[in-house]
Amino acid sequence: MRVLTLISILTLSFFLGCKAEPQISTVSEPRHEMNSGGVLEAFQNELSKVIDKVSPSVVTIFARQEVEFNPFEQFDLPFNLPIEPFKRERRSLGSGVIVKYDKGKLYILTNNHVVENAKSITVRFDKHTEKPAKVVGTDPKTDLAVIEVDAKGIEDAQSRIATLGDSDRVKVGQLAIAIGNPYGLERTVTVGVVSALRRSIGITQYESYIQTDAAINPGNSGGPLINIYGEVIGINTAIVASGQGLGFAIPINLAKWVMDQILEHGKVVRGWLGVVIQDITPDIAEAIGVKEGVLVAQVVKGGPADKAGLQVGDIIVSLDGKKIDSVRDLQFTVMKTKPGTVVELTVIRNGKEKNIKVKIGELPEKVGSGQIEGGSEDLGISLRDLSPQEKASLGVEGVLVVGVVPGSLADLSGLRPGDVIMRVNYKEVKSVREFQNIIEALREAGKAKALLLVRRGENNVYVALRLR
């Protein structure tokens, strides 16, 4: 409240100052005497205190990773000669934030992509102190990881613990401060505002990003996004490379839940319903006469929902009395439900409301048949990876179309549920992630359409997918 008051006074002072006649001052006059009421100085001092408080919690992370590399993959080799990929070392640079001290160990929260497949990890606490670290656990589905370091020899180790805030209370327009190590420039501070909430950008399975215009660059990944009270409200994760002021942070409440799961189980244990769902668009709402809830497009055979009697076409409107407004609502609610818990779903079936009790299962480690992996809301398509059994049965690699929104770009292009997308512009596609990356690259290149090779039934067909 104090900071908001300062900002209000500052704004008023600015407009009043605009109306005043210009005054001539000698060059020897102290700058602080020109400051209207000292508001700027007070605000600056408060901001510096916040940054000084949080900076010791921010670390630089160096990881050595081993990756496969095939220098011939861009060429068409004769006779389909098999080429074994080379392995080479890659160095990863990122940031992290110290979140816990326990039994002589410091625990650091960072991004999974910073430490993924790392052969060794080094954490720099300041210019005099570096320590080896090891991974406690990772979660690719949210791009989070927890690493630990022996606290012995680290000055004021316990005082370095960051204060974690409540991301559910974050509002658009609030000040946001990013601290990290962009391009290796340690503890760089940038200031902006929270631009938007609950963003989905298609890089992980579980997304509800805080968007900010506080500058984030390569090397900031894993560092904290903080509020004016010095509380961590997010973990900086991604940027839109072709844009400016488009940074994204994982909400700290989600990060805390993932961290607690990793520290307790060594991995993230998620609840699983076993359905493919999609949001109700205006076109679907007009067709079915229901505006709220999520539509069940597919039920995984043998999964929790199947055993409970859920059916394709059911509209889930609430879970244990909590209203369900979107796919994200149901996805995150089920994710945080302990496996084995019995919940009550309220569904609309054939225009009538029905209550169904479901025993939540545990999300399998690997994607199986019927589990949704991703898609694209603006294209109006839901996709998932093929299971090993489906690949063997169909004899093809690709991604399965599990849902197409009526009237969407995918629908107008002629895609149908059940289609298997095998190639995009002659590039083979073996996962949803590969499909999304190719489509994003085509859009960045200004392409309006993509040529898809699709297996439909027993035949192959080409489909020109509209991208805008």
Side-chain angles (χ1 to χ4, degrees), residues 139 142 144 254-263 268 270:
D139 183 44
T142 55
L144 287 166
L254 173 59
K256 282 192 289 188
W257 181 81
V258 170
M259 178 185 71
D260 290 342
Q261 290 280 308
I262 288 174
L263 293 177
V268 178
R270 288 181 169 86

Side-chain angles (χ1 to χ4, degrees), residues 280-293 295 313 315 317 348 350-352:
I280 297 177
T281 64
D283 289 332
I284 294 176
E286 184 178 353
I288 65 178
V290 178
K291 297 181 179 180
E292 298 178 342
L295 183 62
I315 302 162
V317 294
I348 297 175
N350 299 324
K352 296 181 179 180

Side-chain angles (χ1 to χ4, degrees), residues 5 35 55 150 188 222 225 244 251 342 367 439 452:
T5 303
N35 191 338
S55 289
D150 187 347
T188 295
L225 186 70
Q244 293 184 348
V342 176
V367 177
I439 294 299
L452 310 183

Side-chain angles (χ1 to χ4, degrees), residues 209-336:
Y209 291 114
I210 297 171
Q211 182 182 327
T212 179
D213 67 350
I216 296 174
N217 290 288
N220 273 110
S221 291
L225 186 70
I226 64 175
N227 61 19
I228 57 174
Y229 306 106
E231 299 169 337
V232 180
I233 57 173
I235 301 298
N236 298 321
T237 297
I239 59 174
V240 174
S242 58
Q244 293 184 348
L246 295 173
F248 301 90
I250 300 167
I252 196 60
N253 288 4
L254 173 59
K256 282 192 289 188
W257 181 81
V258 170
M259 178 185 71
D260 290 342
Q261 290 280 308
I262 288 174
L263 293 177
E264 182 178 353
H265 306 290
K267 64 176 184 177
V268 178
V269 178
R270 288 181 169 86
W272 179 51
L273 190 56
V275 291
V276 174
I277 52 178
Q278 64 186 74
D279 288 319
I280 297 177
T281 64
D283 289 332
I284 294 176
E286 184 178 353
I288 65 178
V290 178
K291 297 181 179 180
E292 298 178 342
V294 295
L295 183 62
V296 176
Q298 188 171 344
V299 179
V300 178
K301 187 175 181 181
D306 183 39
K307 293 176 181 177
L310 255 70
Q311 299 177 7
V312 173
D314 284 347
I315 302 162
I316 302 173
V317 294
S318 72
L319 187 153
D320 281 345
K322 178 186 176 183
K323 185 179 177 182
I324 299 297
D325 290 321
S326 66
V327 166
R328 183 186 286 110
D329 281 346
L330 184 60
Q331 184 185 39
F332 276 79
T333 300
V334 171
M335 176 189 76
K336 294 183 178 181

Side-chain angles (χ1 to χ4, degrees), residues 200-204 372-384 403 432-433 435-436:
S200 178
I201 56 176
I203 62 173
T204 62
I372 192 165
E373 267 292 290
S376 175
E377 292 182 1
D378 55 347
L379 290 177
I381 184 174
S382 297
L383 305 167
R384 68 166 172 82
V432 173
R433 177 66 62 86
F435 175 88
Q436 292 171 330

